[in-house]
Amino acid sequence: MPPMPQTETPGHDLIAKFAAIVGDEHAVIDPEPSAPFLNERRGMFHGRTPVMIRPGSVEEVSAIMRLAEANGTAVVPQGGNTGLVGGQIPDESGSQILVALDRLSRVRSVDPGNDSMVVEAGVRLADARASATAAGRLFPLALGSMDACQIGGNLSTNAGGVAVLAYGNSRDLVLGLEVVLANGTVLNGLRALRKDNAGYDLRHLFIGAEGTLGIITAAAVKLFPRPKGRCTAIVGLSSPGEALALFHIARGLAAFELTSFELMPRICLDFCFRHLEGVDDPLPAPHRWYALFEVSSGRSARAARADVEAILVAGAEQIEEAQTAFTDEDSAAMWRIRYSLSDVQRPEGVSIKHDISVPIGAVPIFLEIAMDAVTKLVPGCRPVPFGHLGDGNIHFNVSQPEGGDGQAFFARRDEINRLVFEIVAAHGGSVAAEHGIGRSKRDLLPSVRSPAEMDVMLKVKTALDPTGILNPGKVL
């Protein structure tokens, strides 16, 4: 077990000291205004805190951590509160200080000549992308929650998104980090170098660590040339196997200019038609499965369109029907369907969600087995699997039976999870593809990591956070 901090609620004098670091106007004690920060967006996790602190500088974060370590006070860092595994929510004890990083919202610098940018942890992903665009560059990380999520949270969970095929996960986009350690030490590694073999590469300890090893306060990230043209297409297919065959055709023809390849069953579109205004069926006839893919060309819009047309011709045997986006508006309409899939599940009742990955070639058989298994376990339940076929990451969600008892369905969550995760394991997959471990999957971690790996993780945690005050109860 990792070290644990004290669980007594900080007294008034200590709370006043925390508040003095940021100023009373940025220390929220009243439960009502802090409530949105203490509830996970799906309602799965609810926490309490004696004070929510909103630091405005790395120096203030450092002072907070020095005070916290001196008093054994647990600290939970939070970005945009879009996480889905509870990693950003304090526990119910009321003893953990919530540190919201939204005021760390400066883009410190943009260097087009070096294709790099330094952004603070509280910069919203959409704003980071806009800053890159204003400089004639591309910051390629793209998520459905990018209007709300923040860079610090993206890096702390190693977010993936829809452009992993061409640009990699968040980890692959980071050149350097500024991190505040548990004792308040500022680890300033904001070097914008592509090659630097001087000792251990410490940035990768903190990316994906979910705030348990240090608080990311800023990052130097990679920028890329803006594509000169993009072309999006949506195709109807009979099965995930046909989608996989089409993916390999697309990757073979477009190589790394194939930036996205998403898979969705028909039920996803049906949910969108029910719960989104202004959404039309992208194809004349319904299909069992759909693939949404995009080519981004460094040459021209004509080249991107030519690549998409070549893919559609070469994949004619797999494709039942296809539609290409001829304008940016058409493309946005296609992507709106994909980005809205989390939201449109809510009106359908309780949804039991799984963020899993398997080897790309195993996606079709995994889906076949898992969808059959959950519907046999809970007759009438509705599998809603969608996600990033090109990197094997599927959001295997299961909605309650239509018109059924949501609470009764949710009561079988552990049973459904166990079944799905057994199938994932049988296909060499992971139970945490891009959302992290947080609280919801903490007890699963030892089942998917070897004793030696767990031992090393615990040693790293103990070395960097010997009193266990950083985001306790998460990951480990």
Side-chain angles (χ1 to χ4, degrees), residues 355-359 362 366 392 421-433 447-449:
D355 167 47
I356 65 90
S357 63
V358 295
F366 164 77
F421 292 147
E422 285 175 357
I423 299 168
V424 170
H427 290 87
S430 171
V431 300
S447 70
V448 296
R449 289 289 182 260

Side-chain angles (χ1 to χ4, degrees), residues 203 216 298 362:
R203 62 188 159 159
I216 295 172

Side-chain angles (χ1 to χ4, degrees), residues 251-263:
R251 195 63 181 269
L253 288 171
F256 291 101
E257 290 192 339
L258 179 69
T259 46
S260 304
F261 199 100
E262 301 290 301
L263 179 67

Side-chain angles (χ1 to χ4, degrees), residues 5-290:
Q6 64 184 33
T7 56
E8 294 82 7
T9 301
H12 293 296
D13 290 345
L14 182 55
I15 290 174
K17 290 180 181 179
F18 278 114
I21 293 171
V22 298
D24 288 340
E25 68 272 29
H26 301 303
V28 182
I29 298 174
D30 187 343
E32 186 173 345
S34 62
F37 299 85
L38 297 171
N39 294 290
E40 184 254 358
R41 64 186 297 191
R42 291 187 295 158
M44 293 282 293
F45 297 97
H46 309 277
R48 296 171 53 226
T49 186
V51 60
M52 181 180 76
I53 306 173
R54 299 174 59 236
S57 68
V58 63
E59 291 79 14
E60 290 181 356
V61 178
S62 175
I64 289 166
M65 293 312 304
R66 288 198 301 272
L67 181 61
E69 188 183 58
N71 291 276
T73 305
V75 171
V76 177
Q78 185 182 102
N81 194 16
T82 60
L84 298 175
V85 291
Q88 75 280 18
I89 303 295
D91 68 14
E92 297 78 14
S93 69
S95 65
Q96 299 178 349
I97 300 295
L98 179 63
V99 176
L101 299 168
D102 58 304
R103 290 183 61 229
L104 294 176
S105 57
R106 291 188 304 136
V107 177
R108 294 186 187 174
S109 63
V110 181
D111 185 351
N114 190 52
D115 277 329
S116 64
M117 173 172 67
V118 176
V119 291
E120 292 184 338
V123 173
R124 293 186 313 147
L125 176 54
D127 294 335
R129 286 170 57 87
S131 294
T133 298
R137 294 294 187 269
L138 170 71
F139 182 56
L141 186 62
L143 312 172
S145 60
M146 57 190 160
D147 287 333
C149 66
Q150 297 170 10
I151 293 296
N154 297 150
L155 302 186
S156 292
T157 57
N158 189 29
V162 300
V164 169
L165 290 179
Y167 301 103
N169 291 298
S170 293
R171 182 183 303 281
D172 303 298
L173 302 174
V174 176
L175 296 168
L177 289 179
E178 177 185 86
V179 181
V180 177
L181 302 181
N183 64 3
T185 298
V186 178
L187 196 66
N188 190 345
L190 290 175
R191 290 176 289 273
L193 300 174
R194 262 63 177 183
K195 289 186 176 181
D196 184 1
N197 250 354
Y200 302 137
D201 195 342
L202 299 178
R203 62 188 159 159
H204 290 298
L205 279 175
F206 304 100
I207 300 170
E210 301 182 50
T212 62
L213 301 180
I215 299 178
I216 295 172
T217 52
V221 297
K222 298 176 185 177
L223 303 181
F224 296 83
R226 287 186 57 76
K228 291 185 171 61
R230 295 185 311 148
C231 187
T232 310
I234 190 165
V235 300
L237 304 148
S238 64
S239 69
E242 300 291 3
L244 180 63
L246 181 63
F247 166 72
H248 288 305
I249 290 169
R251 195 63 181 269
L253 288 171
F256 291 101
E257 290 192 339
L258 179 69
T259 46
S260 304
F261 199 100
E262 301 290 301
L263 179 67
M264 303 173 286
R266 176 66 191 186
I267 192 172
C268 289
L269 277 70
D270 289 338
F271 283 4
C272 287
F273 302 150
R274 289 181 202 171
H275 306 298
L276 286 180
E277 292 185 2
V279 177
D280 297 320
D281 202 323
L283 297 175
H287 300 271
R288 292 184 62 198
W289 290 88
Y290 296 81

Side-chain angles (χ1 to χ4, degrees), residues 219-422:
V221 297
K222 298 176 185 177
L223 303 181
F224 296 83
R226 287 186 57 76
K228 291 185 171 61
R230 295 185 311 148
C231 187
T232 310
I234 190 165
V235 300
L237 304 148
S238 64
S239 69
E242 300 291 3
L244 180 63
L246 181 63
F247 166 72
H248 288 305
I249 290 169
R251 195 63 181 269
L253 288 171
F256 291 101
E257 290 192 339
L258 179 69
T259 46
S260 304
F261 199 100
E262 301 290 301
L263 179 67
M264 303 173 286
R266 176 66 191 186
I267 192 172
C268 289
L269 277 70
D270 289 338
F271 283 4
C272 287
F273 302 150
R274 289 181 202 171
H275 306 298
L276 286 180
E277 292 185 2
V279 177
D280 297 320
D281 202 323
L283 297 175
H287 300 271
R288 292 184 62 198
W289 290 88
Y290 296 81
L292 173 66
F293 69 90
E294 186 166 279
V295 171
S296 300
S297 174
R299 295 163 290 162
S300 66
R302 179 178 295 180
R305 186 171 299 282
D307 280 346
V308 168
E309 290 173 353
I311 292 167
L312 297 179
V313 170
E317 187 175 324
Q318 285 73 36
I319 297 169
E320 295 181 339
E321 195 173 17
Q323 178 63 55
T324 302
F326 290 98
T327 65
D328 288 343
E329 291 75 17
D330 291 340
S331 177
M334 291 179 182
W335 278 108
R336 186 186 177 204
I337 292 172
R338 171 59 184 87
Y339 284 141
S340 299
L341 294 186
S342 292
D343 293 334
V344 297
Q345 289 173 74
R346 293 192 190 103
E348 294 290 330
V350 172
S351 178
I352 296 173
K353 299 177 183 290
H354 311 91
D355 167 47
I356 65 90
S357 63
V358 295
I360 297 168
V363 168
I365 189 63
F366 164 77
L367 288 172
E368 179 183 344
I369 294 173
M371 293 174 73
D372 181 63
V374 296
T375 52
K376 285 180 178 175
L377 181 67
V378 184
C381 75
R382 295 169 292 170
V384 190
F386 64 92
H388 322 300
L389 177 61
D391 58 31
N393 175 197
I394 300 296
H395 302 292
F396 191 83
N397 301 340
V398 187
S399 287
Q400 70 175 68
E402 193 166 6
D405 184 334
Q407 290 187 337
F409 176 68
F410 190 73
R412 302 189 69 178
R413 177 172 178 256
D414 289 344
E415 194 179 353
I416 293 171
N417 289 346
R418 185 165 54 251
L419 176 64
V420 172
F421 292 147
E422 285 175 357

